[in-house]
Every structure is written in C-alpha cells, then in structure tokens.
C-alpha cells in the first residue's frame, strides 16, 4: 500500500480506424508533481488525457493508478479526479449556481447555498451566478468548468488547455488551483503555451 | 484442405439422400423434403447468433478486438442462413397453410432474428471508432436476444386462440420414420459443419489481415 | 452518510436538472406532443367515415404510441452527448444513477404522451369499451417501452444519433411487449374485463422488471468509453 497517488502509463496506443493517434506512450508521475504534456495540434495530447481519465478506451497498453485505496483502473478513477477540457459542455439553460448545486449533489456533497455562492465568487462569477450559462462568454464558461472540476477537492487534476479564453485574473486563478493541488496531489496539464510549459513543467512530456 | 473436401462430399451425399433415400412423409408428400433444408438452416441461424453472443461476452471481458471481429463474422454467416430459413419457411407455409406469412410463433421468431441481425449491422456501420463499435455492438447483441425467449416461450402461451395450433402441429410434429430421421440428423450435422467451416475461414482471414497490418 | 441516501440525493439532483432544463426549453416537450397530435390527425382522417373494429383500433393506437415514443425517448441521452455534457455526468455520477435518472425521466415523458394520445383518440375516434382498462394497459405498455428503450437510447446517442437507428434497434426488443399490448388493448376495446387478460397484464407488468435488470447489467459498458 502506498500513501501517495502514482500514475503509471505504459506503452499506450490509440488507433482511430486507420489513423494511429498515440503510439507507445509511456511515463509515470506521482503526487506532488505537475506534468506538462506538450506537442503540436493533433499530436494526441487530449486523447492521452482522456485515456488517463478513463474517458476513452485505449487500443493497447496499460494505465494504472496506485492510490490509498489500492490499484484503480482509469474508469474507477474517473469520479475521483477533476477534469477540465474544451471538449466539455455545459447546460445552456441552467445558471452557474444551478450547475454547481447539481454537481455537488450528484457527488453527494452537503454544501449549503452560502458555500456554493462563496465558491462562485472565488471563481469571479459572483455577479452573474444566477444568469443562464448560455449567455456567458467563453472565459466565464471556462471558470464554471474549473469550479465544477474542483468542487470535491480532488487529489488529481487533469487540465486540457486550462487557460484558453481566460483573462489575466483567470490565469492567476488557474495558477492558484495548480499550486494548491500539486502540493499534495498530481496535476496533468496539456498546453501549447511556452510560458505555462516553463512555469509548471517539473516534468515535460513531448508528444511528436 | 481434406476437411473441406470431406465436408463437400458429405453435403452432396446429404442432398442426394434428402431427395432419393428418405421416403416422403404421410400427408405432406414430396413437400416434406424441405424439412431437411429448412430446419437445419433455422438451427444454424440460432447457433450463429449464440456464437456471436459468446464472442461478444469475450470481447467485453478482454477488450481484444479479435473477439469483436469473430462476433461480427458469426453474425454475417447467421444473417445469410436466417434469410434462407425465412424464405424456405415461407415456401413451406404457402404449401401447407395456403399463405406465405401468418405470424405463427415460429415465423415470428425467425423474423425477429432477422430484424435483430439487421439492426446489429446498421448499428455497426454507424460507428467508426473500433473499440466503441465493438463495445456497443456487443451490448446490443446480448440485449436484443432477451426478447427471443420471451417471444418463443412466453407470448404464445398467453393467447393460444390466436395461433391455429392444430395446423402448426400438423407440420411441426411430423412423424418421422427411421430413414427420415437419419437424413434429418445427418443434414443438421452437415449444415452445422458448413457453418463452422465458414466461421473458421473468417477467423483465419482476420488473423491474416491483423498480421498484415503488423499487429 | 450512508450509501443509499447518497444514491437518493444524486438521483433527485439529476431528475431535477432534467425537468428544469426541459421546462425552460419549452419547445422540446411541446414538439413531442405536437408529433403525437399530427400522427393522430393522420390516423383520424385516413380512417374517415369507416368504423374499424376493436382489432384495427388497437393496431392504430399502438402504431401511434410506438412512433411517438421512438421520436421522444432518445432525447434524454442524445441531448447530453450533443451538448457534450455527458462527460460531466460521467465525471460526477455513478452509471446506475445516470441510468435510473434517465429511465424515470423517460417514463414521465411517456406517461404524459400516452395520456394525451389516449384522450385525443377517444375524442377523435369515438371508441367505446372498457376505457379505464385500456388506459391501464397503455400506461403499462408505455412504461415497458420507456424501460426497454433507455439503454438503446444511450447506445444510439454514442453512435452519432442517426434518427432511424432507435426504432430499428428497439423494435426487436419491444416486439413481445407490443404484441401483448395490442392484444390486451383489443380485449379492452371489445369491453372485456381484467379477468379475461390476467396473463397479458402479468406480462405487461413483469416486462419492465426483466428488461431493467438486463439493462443495469449492460449499461456500464455503454456508458464508459
């Protein structure tokens, strides 16, 4: 039994029809670390993150998570981690507050309205938390996704282009979230921004 | 190679025996010879589906695309056999009951199998990701089969008046003498052998194409 | 907090979200009811001045219910996949909760649609017989339809949501149910008593149980990629 989370990815391949998206990717990372996955568009960064979270099946290879509760498959890990990606959507007709409320309850967290409002204020959505998300700008939607991904204080944070569409305040928020989790947990980050690679990349994995 | 030739010779013998060796059944006359083809075809339709289900279970357990390919191959063969069984059944029905189609439980169940096979192929053709296609097709293969026992065993008992039992039984409980039974069982074995031969060919084709791609 | 009340809390949250969304998208539910109305109108003027017997009425009624159901039952999962919110649910809720939530939502939709079709059919076609018994048969039958279609709706949503796929895939599964429901409706329209179709009613009541049990076993494979 280990007391900190370790992710092991060995020889992972993913094939769509005839196109090989990932061929033989291997790496490992453990809690207290932040891993930056870099690479050109179409190099398979997002696919790799989805495979690690158990959101996409792999064609061959293996992904395992060593946690305090023993070895878990990516699918078992799915509900324990926080995941933000441009591929996530939101419910256009619900407000930011309703989003947070619904997902807190889906995770069976007992959070009162004041806690939820406080969280949303922290994410810079204090003014507009009762407006429908469909009217939000892409930056505001990104903030909602970040709030949803961290509401259960996960030990593992998987971020796919987290700073896209965000202003300077938003980027600062992402920075805080990453540092917070990386202190005790594991952060996986896919990005193309040189500045972010330099800032968070204790370990840099290049997919080319 | 020799197995293939032996199977071919055996099937020829069965066909000849079905026309020349077996005597015509009382009441049905020469028409009764269709049972040496119709019933084995229907049997293989179900057998192929059961094999596809077993392969589907194995795919879901192992995530090995080989089993998905086998399930697909078995369904392909089964589909052809089901079409032939439906057509021969309709001809049989026309001669015994006067109509090609009357929703008798047996006709309903073979037609249901035809619909399931059709839906299975339609589902497969609409998904491009191989793992996802395998997973969803395997689930559908198992899920759809639930209705077959319900339709064959449960539903007919609920309203016996709707299906003219005496007529069905006249064709169904065919009195077979020993010569007829010999040919019937030989034909059942022959058609099953034919199925497994094609299935085994498909498996080899898959193995070779996987090898070709360098997997 | 014990596990059971956790399941309950998340199930209620999921259902509440679905209903709130549905109420705010006024046209979604409305378009389904309009579809039912249009189908009934076609049936009504096609029959015109003829007086079909109970068997024909039962057939027309279930054709209407089947196709209306097929056009509405897929939406629960399709809208989640299309809005790309299905991933959010995968990240937060257990597969069983998602299945139960969508099943209950589908059942509610079908009850609303069936009630409308039932009422409109009586008004437009002037049918008689054991009408209350007919309503009970229709409710049981459509409940079975909702149960048998929920897993398939999840499959179709992941298969790129071709409109034709759901009815094609659902008919084989629902065929035993439809055969029994049509016959039970015919008996009810002929003025029969419940005692004359105990077997049929027992089948209609047990079909959802069987199909939901099988669905729960398989849903995890559909839901997780």
């Amino acid at each position: 039994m280990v007391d900190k989370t370790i992710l092991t990815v060995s020889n992972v391949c993913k094939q769509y029809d005839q196109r090989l998206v990932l061929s033989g990717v291997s790496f490992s990372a453990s809690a207290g670390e932040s891993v930056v996955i870099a690479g050109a568009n179409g190099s398979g960064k997002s696919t790799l993150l989805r495979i690690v979270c158990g959101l996409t099946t792999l064609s061959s290879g293996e992904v395992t998570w060593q946690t305090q509760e023993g070895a878990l498959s990516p699918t078992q890990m799915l509900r324990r981690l926080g995941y933000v990606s441009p591929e996530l959507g939101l419910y256009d007709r619900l407000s930011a507050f309703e989003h947070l409320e619904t997902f807190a309850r889906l995770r069976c967290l007992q959070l009162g309205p004041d806690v939820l409002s406080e969280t949303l204020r922290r994410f810079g959505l204090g003014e507009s938390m009762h407006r429908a998300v469909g009217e939000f700008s892409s930056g505001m939607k990104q903030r909602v996704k970040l709030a949803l991904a961290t509401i259960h204080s996960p030990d593992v944070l998987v971020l796919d282009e987290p700073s896209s569409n965000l202003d300077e305040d938003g980027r600062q928020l992402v920075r805080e979230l990453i540092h917070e989790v990386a202190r005790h947990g594991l952060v996986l980050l896919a990005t193309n921004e040189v500045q972010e690679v330099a800032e968070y990349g204790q370990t840099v994995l290049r997919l080319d | 190679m020799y197995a293939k030739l032996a199977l071919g010779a055996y099937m020829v013998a069965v066909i000849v025996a079905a026309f020349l060796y077996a005597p015509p059944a009382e009441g049905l006359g020469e028409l009764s010879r269709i049972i040496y083809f119709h019933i084995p075809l229907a049997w293989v339709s179900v057998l192929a589906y059961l094999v596809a289900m077993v392969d589907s279970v194995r795919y879901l357990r192992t995530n090995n695309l080989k089993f998905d390919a086998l399930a697909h191959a078995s369904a392909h063969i089964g589909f052809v056999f089901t079409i032939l069984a439906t057509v021969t059944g309709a001809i049989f029905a026309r001669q015994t009951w006067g109509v090609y189609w009357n929703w008798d439980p047996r006709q309903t169940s073979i037609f249901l199998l035809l619909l399931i096979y059709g839906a299975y192929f339609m589902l497969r053709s609409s998904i491009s990701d191989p793992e996802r296609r395998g997973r969803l097709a395997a689930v559908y293969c198992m899920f759809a089969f639930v209705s077959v026992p319900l339709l064959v065993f449960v539903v007919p008992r609920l309203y016996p008046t709707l299906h003219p039992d005496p007529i069905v039984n006249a064709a169904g409980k065919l009195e077979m003498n020993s010569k007829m039974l010999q040919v019937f069982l030989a034909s059942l074995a022959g058609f099953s052998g034919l199925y497994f031969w094609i299935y085994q060919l498909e498996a080899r084709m898959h193995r070779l194409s996987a090898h070709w791609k360098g997997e | 907090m014990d596990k059971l009340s956790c399941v309950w809390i998340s199930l209620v949250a999921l259902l509440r979200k679905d209903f709130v969304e549905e109420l705010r998208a006024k046209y979604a539910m409305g378009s389904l009811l309009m579809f039912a109305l249009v189908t009934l109108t076609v049936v009504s003027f096609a029959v015109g001045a003829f007086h079909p017997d109970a068997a024909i009425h039962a057939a027309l009624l279930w054709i209407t219910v089947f196709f209306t159901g097929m056009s509405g039952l897929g939406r629960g999962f399709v809208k989640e996949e299309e809005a790309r919110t299905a991933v959010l649910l995968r990240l937060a809720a257990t597969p069983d909760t998602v299945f139960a939530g969508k099943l209950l939502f589908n059942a509610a939709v079908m009850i609303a649609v069936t009630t409308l079709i039932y009422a409109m059919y009586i008004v437009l076609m002037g049918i008689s017989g054991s009408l209350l018994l007919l309503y009970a048969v229709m409710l049981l039958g459509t409940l079975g339809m909702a149960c048998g279609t929920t897993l398939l709706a999840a499959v179709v949503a992941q298969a790129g949501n071709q409109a034709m796929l759901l009815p094609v895939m659902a008919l084989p599964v629902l065929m035993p149910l439809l055969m029994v429901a049509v016959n039970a409706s015919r008996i009810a329209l002929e003025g029969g008593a419940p005692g004359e179709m105990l077997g049929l009613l027992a089948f209609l009541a047990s079909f959802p149980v069987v199909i939901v049990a099988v669905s729960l076993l398989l849903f995890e494979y559909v839901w997780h990629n």
Side-chain angles (χ1 to χ4, degrees):
Chain A
M1 194 70 47
V2 282
D3 59 343
K4 62 178 188 176
T5 305
I6 302 172
L7 163 69
T8 318
V9 174
S10 51
N11 210 17
V12 163
C13 299
K14 176 67 187 174
Q15 192 167 12
Y16 288 105
D17 265 342
Q18 299 301 318
R19 206 164 60 87
L20 198 61
V21 182
L22 293 172
S23 58
V25 177
S26 301
F27 71 94
S28 71
S30 51
E33 211 175 333
S34 53
V35 178
V36 169
I37 298 166
N41 291 339
S43 58
K45 297 190 296 291
S46 304
T47 308
L48 180 60
L49 288 189
R50 279 206 313 273
I51 287 175
V52 163
C53 299
L55 287 167
T56 298
T57 44
L58 34 72
S59 305
S60 64
E62 204 180 2
V63 176
T64 47
W65 289 90
Q66 281 295 335
T67 68
Q68 285 164 338
E69 291 146 82
L72 299 179
S73 71
T75 318
Q76 290 168 316
M77 200 60 198
L78 186 57
R79 287 188 297 279
R80 294 160 210 256
L81 45 77
Y83 174 75
V84 176
S85 159
E87 291 167 18
L88 282 182
L90 295 170
Y91 299 99
D92 281 351
R93 294 194 178 80
L94 301 186
S95 70
F97 185 84
E98 285 165 328
H99 270 86
L100 215 57
E101 191 185 29
T102 303
F103 282 90
R105 287 189 186 164
L106 278 179
R107 291 183 182 281
C108 198
L109 303 170
Q110 301 288 75
L111 302 178
D114 41 330
V115 179
L116 297 176
S117 311
E118 187 49 49
T119 310
L120 285 165
R121 264 193 287 279
R122 185 190 163 201
F123 281 85
L125 296 165
E127 308 277 295
S128 40
M129 65 169 96
H130 292 295
R131 272 167 53 204
V133 165
E135 303 165 11
F136 277 20
S137 72
S138 356
M140 288 161 84
K141 284 184 183 167
Q142 185 68 6
R143 288 164 188 255
V144 177
K145 291 184 202 172
L146 288 166
L148 290 180
T150 50
I151 185 155
H152 54 303
S153 342
D155 286 335
V156 176
L157 205 51
V158 179
L159 305 171
D160 192 354
E161 312 275 1
S163 305
S164 55
N165 300 315
L166 286 181
D167 53 20
E168 198 34 58
D169 281 356
R171 281 159 193 263
Q172 182 56 37
L173 191 67
V174 171
R175 215 165 282 146
E176 281 170 24
L177 287 176
I178 291 177
H179 284 306
E180 222 168 85
V181 174
R183 230 177 293 142
H184 62 279
L186 174 59
V187 180
L188 292 172
L189 177 77
T191 184
N192 267 323
E193 297 192 24
V194 184
Q195 189 200 335
E196 285 186 341
V197 176
E199 190 175 349
Y200 309 117
Q202 294 169 320
T203 316
V204 179
L205 180 74
R206 289 210 169 268
L207 295 178
D208 285 305
Chain B
M1 182 64 195
Y2 293 113
K4 182 169 69 181
L5 290 177
L7 184 66
Y10 181 80
M11 285 307 286
V12 170
V14 166
I15 292 168
V16 170
F19 284 101
L20 300 178
Y21 176 71
E26 265 175 64
L28 284 169
E30 298 298 330
L31 178 70
S32 65
R33 300 188 192 285
I34 201 170
I35 63 163
Y36 305 122
F37 305 101
H38 171 64
I39 297 176
L41 285 169
W43 151 250
V44 172
S45 308
V46 177
L47 176 70
Y49 198 89
L50 293 177
V51 172
M53 274 174 76
V54 171
D55 285 331
S56 298
V57 173
R58 289 208 283 179
Y59 175 68
L60 288 184
R61 296 214 156 173
T62 60
N63 281 323
N64 183 344
L65 280 172
K66 181 183 109 186
F67 293 119
D68 178 52
L70 285 178
H72 187 206
S74 190
H76 252 159
I77 309 165
F79 186 54
V80 176
F81 276 84
T82 311
I83 291 174
L84 292 174
T86 312
V87 172
T88 50
I91 295 170
F92 196 17
R94 174 84 175 107
Q95 296 302 321
T96 46
W97 310 329
V99 285
Y100 285 110
W101 207 261
N102 79 344
W103 291 110
D104 139 86
R106 258 161 269 217
Q107 282 190 321
T108 310
S109 50
I110 198 80
F111 188 67
L112 180 77
L113 206 55
L114 199 64
L115 287 179
I116 296 176
Y117 275 126
Y120 176 81
F121 294 127
M122 194 167 157
L123 173 66
R124 290 190 71 96
S125 66
S126 65
I127 311 167
S128 60
D129 180 66
E131 280 85 21
R132 174 180 289 196
R133 179 172 57 220
R135 207 161 33 76
L136 297 181
V139 167
Y140 185 67
C141 184
M142 285 182 258
F143 187 65
F145 198 73
V146 174
S147 61
V148 174
L150 288 182
L151 200 66
V152 176
F153 299 114
V154 183
V155 174
R157 272 161 216 213
L158 296 177
Y159 42 96
T161 51
L162 255 143
H163 293 289
D165 259 356
I167 308 176
V168 175
N169 280 344
K173 283 184 189 158
L174 209 62
E175 290 294 319
M176 285 203 202
N177 65 29
S178 68
K179 276 187 173 180
M180 291 169 76
L181 199 64
Q182 283 163 22
V183 177
F184 175 70
L185 292 176
S187 171
L188 213 55
F191 275 98
S192 305
L194 193 63
Y195 161 75
F196 281 112
W197 176 60
I198 306 175
Y199 180 70
Q200 170 280 124
L201 272 186
E202 294 260 9
R204 243 167 74 200
M205 260 164 62
H206 175 74
R207 216 162 41 233
L208 283 173
S209 73
H211 181 72
W212 191 255
K213 280 186 214 151
E215 279 168 18
Chain C
M1 177 133 31
D2 63 304
K3 218 170 163 184
L4 199 66
S5 54
C6 247
V7 170
W8 186 243
I9 288 172
S10 50
L11 186 59
V12 171
L14 187 63
L15 273 175
R16 208 182 74 154
K17 175 212 75 110
D18 272 340
F19 279 108
V20 167
E21 243 200 321
E22 205 63 32
L23 288 177
R24 289 184 192 164
K26 292 173 192 75
Y27 104 110
M29 192 64 201
S31 62
L32 187 60
L33 295 179
M34 276 310 289
F35 185 92
L37 196 59
V38 166
T39 317
L40 275 173
T41 312
V42 173
V43 167
S44 175
F45 75 65
V47 168
F50 298 110
H51 291 286
D53 59 9
I56 305 282
H57 273 308
L60 292 174
L61 197 55
W62 280 97
I63 292 173
T64 312
V65 170
F66 177 75
F67 282 104
T68 311
M70 287 306 112
S71 66
L73 286 173
R75 275 199 30 262
F77 280 107
V78 167
K79 74 178 181 208
E80 301 276 3
E81 293 288 347
E82 278 180 353
R84 295 181 301 172
T85 46
V87 180
L88 283 181
L89 292 182
R90 283 188 189 107
L91 286 159
T94 62
D96 291 351
T97 308
V98 174
F99 182 81
K102 293 295 175 190
L103 174 65
L104 291 175
F105 184 73
N106 274 347
V109 169
M110 279 315 282
I111 288 172
V113 169
T114 307
T115 306
L116 177 87
I117 292 177
Y118 169 74
M120 292 299 297
Y121 204 90
I122 292 178
V123 171
L124 288 173
M125 311 293 279
I127 45 173
S128 56
S130 319
L131 290 183
L132 215 56
L133 184 58
L134 176 69
Y135 187 53
V137 167
M138 285 178 72
L139 282 184
L140 278 176
T142 49
L143 187 68
M145 271 178 71
C147 293
T149 319
T150 302
L151 179 91
L152 296 177
V155 171
V156 169
Q158 286 203 39
N161 181 30
Q162 274 90 344
M164 307 301 283
L165 206 49
L166 188 62
V168 167
M169 288 173 62
L171 181 63
V173 177
L174 298 180
M175 207 148 107
L177 178 80
L178 287 173
M179 290 178 114
V180 171
V182 169
N183 276 289
S185 302
R186 180 184 52 81
I187 295 173
L189 282 165
E190 283 167 351
E196 293 170 42
M197 47 161 143
L198 283 179
L200 299 180
L201 287 174
F203 182 89
L204 289 176
S206 48
F207 183 83
V209 180
V210 173
I211 213 78
V212 166
V214 179
S215 299
L216 279 173
L217 285 177
L218 292 171
F219 183 68
E220 203 172 326
Y221 294 103
V222 177
W223 186 238
H224 285 313
N225 284 291

